[in-house]
Amino acid sequence: MARGAKAAAPSREAGGTPPEPEYVQLLTPTGERVAQSTGADGVTYSVDFTDSEIRGLYRDLVVVRKLDTEATALQRQGELGIWASLLGQEAAQVGSGHALRAQDMVFPTYREHGVLYVRGIDPIRPLALFRGVNYGGWDPIAEKFNLYTIVIGAQTLHATGYAMGVAKDGRIGGDDGEAVIAYFGDGASAQGDVNESFVWASVFNAPVVFFCQNNQFAISEPTERQTRVPLYRRAAGYGFPGVRVDGNDVLACYAVTRAALDNARHGNGPTLIEAYTYRMGAHTTSDDPTRYRISSEVEAWQAKDPIERVRAYLTRQGTGADFFDDVEAEAASKAADLRERVLSMPDPQPVEMFDNAYAHGSPEVDAEREQFVAYSASFEGGH
């Protein structure tokens, strides 16, 4: 969409799928490459990936979906307390995740399993959280990936504060500068935390990219119940650029995110990216999407599947069936390994609830631990 062009918010009033909006797209749903695409921010985007690199992206997309599907199955079998699936949003996460440079910092929600995977973090980490055997902890600074955030929108303020610190420390201004990315959904865009983070990021020119995965539903409410204008246009009111990208196009998601991150690391402030995608499954495993959306809409989005379009392109370029079979086998093997490791996780002992409450310990917590141990020991077989 050219700068200044008007766009109406999609509507479902007549039923079915809302009108297709304009956005940055470099790979069509039928798998055809687009040389370049200009966004609403006036920037023209392109990528120069080789077919070998695109095959690598395809591999990640398939593996991420398989791991996510396995986690959903584990929850349905009573092995996880809950799971927030990313089904349908793989391209937004894999594309933007690969756009990050090693020094960049990520602030996720509870659904960024694909970003976590491409950042090289063991996918068992979040599953430990949802299984309830630990807090899913990893070292955010060492991994350059903050812990999952359950409170809707809170991570955008964390990201903005961190980005302001990056700027104050002088870690911006060149190719080796550090940029920050905050992920959130379309529903979170209505939260006060998100809007406050926009204000602070703008006036302090923080090196942060706000990556909104507009998957069309805030749990059970469609996007038009959240906003009367396309979400990316909100950025203008805060004084920084916004751009909408085809969230099912892994190439476009990479290109737009890499440009926004590089812009931030050079000291040019924040950008809002709206990745226009679709949540193919439930909000979480405690949700029933059949109660608030119709099957024809889901079927229309299945035709835009982020994995199938990459497969179609690679097939057209001569990639044989052996490659796709190998990828499927690798994904299945990783999923089976993940399942085995989840089921072998030891249950925590009740007394462990007192661990890691304070970094340097606490006399009060120590006393409470002793009382709890004595109380537990008072029962037959207690220890």
Side-chain angles (χ1 to χ4, degrees):
M1 184 184 297
R3 185 183 298 276
K6 296 182 179 179
S11 174
R12 290 181 175 80
E13 294 302 321
T17 306
E20 190 74 4
E22 294 187 70
Y23 40 40
V24 175
Q25 185 182 82
L26 298 174
L27 187 65
T28 70
T30 57
E32 297 178 3
R33 287 286 298 273
V34 178
Q36 60 184 30
S37 181
T38 302
D41 54 353
V43 177
T44 297
Y45 299 94
S46 63
V47 294
D48 57 358
F49 288 149
T50 64
D51 286 350
S52 176
E53 290 171 321
I54 295 176
R55 283 193 290 270
L57 291 173
Y58 177 83
R59 185 181 302 273
D60 284 346
L61 290 169
V62 173
V63 170
V64 164
R65 175 171 292 184
K66 188 65 175 179
L67 294 176
D68 177 71
T69 302
E70 192 66 44
T72 299
L74 284 164
Q75 193 285 328
R76 294 306 191 201
Q77 294 159 7
E79 302 297 344
L80 300 178
I82 195 172
W83 183 250
S85 173
L86 57 68
L87 184 62
Q89 299 176 222
E90 295 89 356
Q93 296 193 17
V94 170
S96 63
H98 275 291
L100 293 157
R101 300 189 189 273
Q103 68 268 28
D104 295 338
M105 185 67 178
V106 179
F107 286 82
T109 68
Y110 44 78
R111 200 187 301 274
E112 271 65 62
H113 322 308
V115 185
L116 179 139
Y117 178 80
V118 300
R119 289 294 270 179
I121 301 174
D122 191 338
I124 197 71
R125 295 289 185 83
L127 271 73
L129 170 66
F130 294 116
R131 187 167 171 81
V133 300
N134 61 40
Y135 297 118
W138 53 83
D139 185 345
I141 301 302
E143 303 288 358
K144 304 299 290 185
F145 195 98
N146 200 47
L147 301 180
Y148 274 21
T149 303
I150 306 300
V151 179
I152 304 300
Q155 72 281 357
T156 59
L157 282 175
H158 305 159
T160 299
Y162 183 94
M164 290 168 61
V166 167
K168 288 182 180 295
D169 287 344
R171 302 202 304 273
I172 58 173
D175 291 340
D176 60 348
E178 181 177 354
V180 181
I181 189 167
Y183 289 90
F184 61 100
D186 48 295
S189 68
Q191 292 290 327
D193 285 8
V194 174
N195 290 273
E196 290 168 11
S197 69
F198 287 176
V199 173
W200 282 82
S202 176
V203 298
F204 286 97
N205 206 47
V208 59
V209 174
F210 297 105
F211 193 94
C212 175
Q213 292 174 84
N214 180 0
N215 65 18
Q216 310 299 311
F217 288 94
I219 304 184
S220 59
E221 293 292 346
T223 306
E224 59 260 31
R225 298 286 179 88
Q226 302 285 330
T227 180
R228 293 293 300 275
V229 300
L231 291 172
Y232 77 90
R233 288 176 55 187
R234 288 186 174 182
Y238 295 94
F240 55 87
V243 58
R244 176 183 266 168
V245 61
D246 181 351
N248 285 16
D249 176 355
V250 68
L251 303 185
C253 287
Y254 173 92
V256 170
T257 308
R258 172 55 68 89
L261 288 167
D262 285 347
N263 195 55
R265 81 177 76 257
H266 280 84
N268 297 321
T271 299
L272 170 61
I273 298 173
E274 178 192 353
Y276 194 83
T277 181
Y278 193 80
R279 167 167 56 78
M280 296 301 298
H283 175 73
T284 68
T285 47
S286 62
D287 172 44
D288 178 8
T290 64
R291 299 182 63 182
Y292 54 81
R293 65 186 189 190
I294 57 178
S295 59
S296 61
E297 179 177 307
V298 179
E299 291 169 0
W301 277 93
Q302 286 174 340
K304 307 170 192 176
D305 186 279
I307 296 178
E308 290 304 315
R309 69 174 66 185
V310 181
R311 183 179 180 120
Y313 168 79
L314 291 174
T315 299
R316 186 178 291 112
Q317 298 304 113
T319 300
D322 288 348
F323 167 77
F324 298 114
D325 291 342
D326 288 345
V327 170
E328 291 293 337
E330 178 184 347
S333 175
K334 289 186 175 182
D337 175 70
L338 184 67
R339 165 177 285 273
E340 182 177 343
R341 289 194 291 151
V342 167
L343 297 180
S344 65
M345 286 180 179
D347 291 334
Q349 296 300 313
V351 71
E352 292 179 23
M353 74 175 81
F354 297 96
D355 295 346
N356 304 313
Y358 291 93
H360 303 292
S362 162
E364 291 83 1
V365 173
D366 290 343
E368 291 170 351
R369 180 201 303 271
E370 292 178 5
Q371 293 172 12
F372 180 81
V373 169
Y375 176 74
S376 299
S378 69
F379 292 93
E380 182 179 352
H383 54 82

